[in-house]
Amino acid sequence: MPGHARAGHVTGMKTVGRAGAADVIVVGGRCAGAPVAMLLARAGLRVRLLERARQLGDVVSGHMIKPAGVARLREWGLLGELLGLPTPAITNATLWVGGEPYPAPPLPAGRMALGPRRCVLDRLLLAAARDAGTDVRLGVTARSVLRTGERVTGVRTSAGDQRARLVIGADGRHSVIARAVGADWTWLRPATTYGYYTYWSGAQVDRIHAWIEPGLFAGLFPTNDGKALMFYQAPAAGFADARLAPDVCYRRVLDDRPALRRLLAGAEISEHIRGTGDLPTFFRRSAGPGWALMGDAGHHKDPLIARGIADAFRDAAILAVSVTRYWDSGLDEAVAAYERRRDRDARPLAEANLAIAALDQPGSVLAERWRSAAALEQQLGT
């Protein structure tokens, strides 16, 4: 989409080093790094994106894009392409409490959620970054950062040293950039739940189904290729046993809940079961001289209310505006302001999310907390 680029939007833009050097290096090319690279390149900056994978496949991470995230895709001109792959639009949800369905409030007109496979979403976003003019380099691993005094001035990589005025770490919760700059946690809670999921073929699922009870959160939703994703989360203390027999535990969730199993009547598991217990909630210091963190590198949360992708898109939008507006002067303060804005929006949702993820109350209480969190999302508009 070269037509989106706005060369000269950043007035008096200066580049660093020799010809071919970058203004900004983004480390990580998935749903946080690719959008921020795209937006900065559209604004006229010279952006280089480094992604350690040689090809973006599926990843054990968030899969649901909440309506606020879908709105970002529409704003960026990418929604039509994602829907055309095709990715089913999700406009209804059912919350199951005590084994009985309770229709959730309908989404406002024109609003939808999406549940694309990550190989579909991430490749689309990376292509959009490249089309905007980003220098995308796959198969390059970041190892550390370069400094001049206290200021970060580039990245040491498997392909050699690369310099830029700003380095953005969008490389996940185990961020190499976060470790290299010494970004301490400002708020940390250990994993509350663990989770497993897989894909089903032949499922007649046209909405989000969310099943909540003491000790369990489960659900399913439609995705690409006519499949449905079915997941479950349970208290973290059970992960040590579940990881020894994930298939058995996954099937037991369905077998013990006939109403949930009936939603998959006639369907079959089509892929192996994936999961993780590495689900802490944290905020890291995410801004400093010459660097910033975004997406899961700066803030990670339990996946229960499915905020990961929408939060990554929010970070990309906020950081890109801050960087381009104050590129010529005040860049460090602008990046610090991005962190404060992120925390203002994300901290209340992180706390509301943890209150549900404890899964330690009767289903009716958990359901009310779920509704309250959804209302908070609407209030914050994120």
Side-chain angles (χ1 to χ4, degrees):
M1 288 178 257
H4 283 282
R6 294 175 291 166
H9 175 69
V10 182
T11 59
M13 184 174 63
K14 301 180 178 65
T15 57
V16 294
R18 68 193 187 290
D23 297 307
V24 181
I25 291 176
V26 178
V27 179
R30 290 189 178 269
C31 64
V36 78
M38 175 193 72
L39 293 171
L40 291 172
R42 286 181 179 180
L45 289 170
R46 293 200 288 185
V47 183
R48 181 170 299 148
L49 185 151
L50 310 177
E51 165 56 47
R52 66 180 181 180
R54 296 188 180 277
Q55 180 175 333
L56 297 184
D58 276 321
V59 62
V60 179
S61 188
H63 294 76
M64 175 62 60
I65 309 178
K66 304 296 276 290
V70 175
R72 300 279 188 196
L73 290 173
R74 180 182 289 111
E75 176 187 340
W76 298 338
L78 303 178
L79 179 57
E81 186 175 353
L82 185 57
L83 290 172
L85 287 174
T87 303
I90 304 171
T91 57
N92 290 295
T94 297
L95 179 62
W96 294 75
V97 183
E100 297 293 331
Y102 292 87
L107 293 175
R111 301 270 280 176
M112 69 180 78
L114 297 170
R117 294 192 68 136
R118 287 298 298 273
C119 59
V120 172
L121 174 66
D122 293 347
R123 289 173 187 172
L124 182 151
L125 294 171
L126 192 63
R130 183 184 286 113
D131 289 347
T134 300
D135 175 12
V136 174
R137 302 190 181 187
L138 301 178
V140 177
T141 301
R143 292 174 173 164
S144 187
V145 296
L146 304 172
R147 293 181 184 271
T148 300
E150 294 299 313
R151 186 169 201 85
V152 170
T153 55
V155 183
R156 180 156 288 139
T157 81
S158 58
D161 292 353
Q162 305 192 33
R163 294 189 177 274
R165 184 179 176 197
L166 178 65
V167 172
I168 298 174
D171 49 338
R173 61 186 179 273
H174 299 295
S175 170
V176 171
I177 301 303
R179 184 170 65 250
V181 299
D184 296 330
W185 286 293
T186 58
W187 195 67
L188 172 66
R189 299 292 182 274
T192 307
T193 71
Y194 71 92
Y196 280 96
Y197 70 93
T198 192
Y199 298 92
W200 292 69
S201 296
Q204 303 303 309
V205 178
D206 64 355
R207 64 179 59 211
I208 300 168
H209 289 275
W211 179 290
I212 196 161
E213 65 181 54
L216 184 80
F217 181 69
L220 58 155
F221 53 83
T223 187
N224 304 98
D225 304 321
K227 295 183 179 182
L229 183 150
M230 186 270 170
F231 69 90
Y232 85 89
Q233 291 179 238
F239 180 58
D241 291 334
R243 69 188 305 182
L244 298 176
D247 290 26
V248 172
C249 293
Y250 181 90
R251 290 184 179 277
R252 185 182 298 139
V253 169
L254 291 171
D255 292 342
D256 291 348
R257 294 161 184 86
L260 187 57
R261 184 65 180 89
R262 282 194 292 272
L263 296 174
L264 292 165
E268 296 182 349
I269 291 177
S270 59
E271 303 183 27
H272 70 276
I273 294 170
R274 303 171 172 94
T276 183
D278 184 18
L279 299 173
T281 295
F282 64 73
F283 289 80
R284 281 192 181 109
R285 184 168 62 92
S286 294
W291 63 271
L293 301 176
M294 55 167 303
D296 286 350
H299 162 49
H300 184 264
K301 74 290 296 171
D302 186 283
L304 192 140
I305 61 170
R307 284 293 315 181
I309 298 175
D311 281 358
F313 290 178
R314 177 206 60 217
D315 286 3
I318 298 171
L319 183 56
V321 168
S322 296
V323 167
T324 56
R325 183 174 295 168
Y326 295 99
W327 181 258
D328 293 323
S329 61
L331 180 61
D332 289 351
E333 174 53 32
V335 173
Y338 143 77
E339 179 181 6
R340 293 192 295 270
R341 167 72 184 278
R342 180 205 65 185
D343 289 0
R344 187 193 73 189
D345 290 346
R347 180 68 177 265
L349 281 170
E351 293 175 347
N353 188 37
L354 284 177
I356 312 168
L359 296 172
D360 59 355
Q361 296 294 319
S364 59
V365 175
L366 295 172
E368 186 55 38
R369 290 180 178 177
W370 190 81
R371 293 189 186 96
S372 296
L376 181 59
E377 288 183 86
Q378 295 291 327
Q379 177 184 331
L380 292 172
T382 61

